[in-house]
Structure formats: C-alpha cells, structure tokens
Amino acid sequence: MGSEDSQLVSCSSAFDAMWFCFSPANQFKKYYREGTYDECEVQQRVFSLCMQLRYREVNGKGDDEAARKIKDEMIALSSKSLKDHVWKFKPPPAKPAEETLEPFK
C-alpha cells in the first residue's frame, strides 16, 4: 500500500465548490446570464459521492468495486463542467483579398 492509498479522500474542495454554487454572487450571475437560478445539482452530487467514498475508506471498503464506481462518477462529473462554454466562439476571420492590400504597399 502506497502513501497515496493510505490517505483519506478530502472533501473540502467539493464542499467549497458546493458552497460557492449556493452563494449569492453565483446565483445572481446565473440569473443574469440565463434567467434561472442555479440548483447546484452537480456540486451536490460530487460532494455526496465524496462523502460516500470517504465513509467507505474509513470502514475499510475503499478498494472495492463500488468505490471504483464512485470515483469514476466523480471524475465524469468534474470533467463535465469543462465541456460546456458560456460563450459561443466566433469563427476565425477570413484573409483579406490581395486587391484590398494594394493601396497599403
């Protein structure tokens, strides 16, 4: 067993993310951008999974199949937020035609 395996999972970052999600600043930003409030479902789920995983580790079940499924779901949920962008990206500008550049030469 390595030193990484013997350490308990820390849920403080998951709790901080959930706490920020419920903050007035985040709720106002979400309402301003989308017209609805943020229900913070992903952050709540990640924190819940983290607590389940920590409970399993404390009770010596941190290496079983259920713990691996919890870890996989946590990774999937955390990478999900990286896929969606708030803004739509513009296409790159087209190259100017040679005729438009003649007066500047």
Side-chain angles (χ1 to χ4, degrees):
M1 217 188 242
S3 62
E4 293 174 4
D5 294 337
S6 64
Q7 293 179 351
L8 292 175
V9 172
S10 174
C11 297
S12 62
S13 61
F15 180 77
D16 288 342
M18 186 179 70
W19 188 264
F20 173 75
C21 186
F22 284 116
S23 72
N26 184 55
Q27 294 297 326
F28 284 133
K29 181 174 69 173
K30 174 83 172 182
Y31 189 79
Y32 177 77
R33 288 183 178 171
E34 299 177 19
T36 61
Y37 293 107
D38 197 349
E39 295 180 9
C40 306
E41 294 170 347
V42 172
Q43 291 83 359
Q44 289 180 44
R45 182 68 182 149
V46 169
F47 181 66
S48 174
L49 289 170
C50 185
M51 293 302 290
Q52 289 175 26
L53 184 61
R54 185 172 172 100
Y55 180 78
R56 295 187 76 74
E57 288 178 349
V58 166
N59 291 320
K61 299 178 183 177
D63 293 333
D64 63 355
E65 183 63 29
R68 283 190 286 281
K69 286 182 181 181
I70 291 172
K71 289 176 186 176
D72 291 343
E73 186 177 350
M74 286 176 67
I75 291 169
L77 285 172
S78 64
S79 63
K80 180 182 177 184
S81 64
L82 300 175
K83 295 177 185 173
D84 299 330
H85 289 283
V86 174
W87 308 109
K88 293 183 181 176
F89 295 108
K90 292 183 179 180
K95 282 186 128 184
E98 287 296 323
E99 301 93 32
T100 58
L101 295 177
E102 286 298 321
F104 299 108
K105 289 185 178 181

